[in-house]
Amino acid sequence: KNITVNGNRRFIKLGDKEVDWDSSFRLYMTTKLSNPHYTPEVFGKASIINFTVTQEGLQEQLLNVVVGHERADLEAQRLELVEEVSKNKAEQKKLEDTLLK
């Protein structure tokens, strides 16, 4: 960010104009493109969130809610397994990196 401070005033230069800067300003952009392509520069400067929902994803989420409601023990076990798989993947990545050095 190219923010300049002049006294108590903070501003950013856009083109040939100085515009007051507000640190709470946020810009949200959306697209109807199903698979938009952004340059690496855009990915580096922005937070890209994909809100695409599939039928299978919705079914899985609903199944998790139903199982969590009807069989809390199974849901707890599922969550433990998901956490364990995540830890194992991180450990595998760490071991692969040490092997490649």
Side-chain angles (χ1 to χ4, degrees):
K1 297 177 187 172
N2 192 13
I3 301 171
T4 307
V5 179
N6 188 357
N8 288 340
R9 182 175 174 231
R10 297 174 67 178
F11 61 91
I12 187 166
K13 194 163 188 162
L14 294 175
D16 60 342
K17 296 184 180 183
E18 292 179 353
V19 179
D20 287 325
W21 175 259
D22 185 352
S23 59
S24 63
F25 174 78
R26 300 288 183 262
L27 176 65
Y28 297 94
M29 297 172 56
T30 62
T31 180
K32 291 186 178 185
L33 298 174
S34 60
N35 191 15
H37 175 72
Y38 299 107
T39 63
E41 181 179 302
V42 171
F43 275 107
K45 293 182 178 181
S47 297
I48 309 294
I49 302 171
N50 185 353
F51 286 104
T52 304
V53 179
T54 63
Q55 184 72 24
E56 294 82 21
L58 286 175
Q59 287 175 344
E60 186 175 320
Q61 288 179 21
L62 182 59
L63 179 62
N64 290 337
V65 169
V66 170
V67 169
H69 186 267
E70 293 184 0
R71 293 285 309 269
D73 59 324
L74 286 179
E75 180 64 12
Q77 184 180 11
R78 184 189 74 81
L79 292 174
E80 288 175 11
L81 289 172
V82 167
E83 186 177 331
E84 185 179 337
V85 166
S86 177
K87 286 180 182 177
N88 288 341
K89 284 183 180 180
E91 182 69 21
Q92 179 184 8
K93 172 86 170 104
K94 180 180 171 186
L95 291 172
E96 287 174 351
D97 289 346
T98 57
L99 281 174
L100 294 175
K101 286 184 179 181

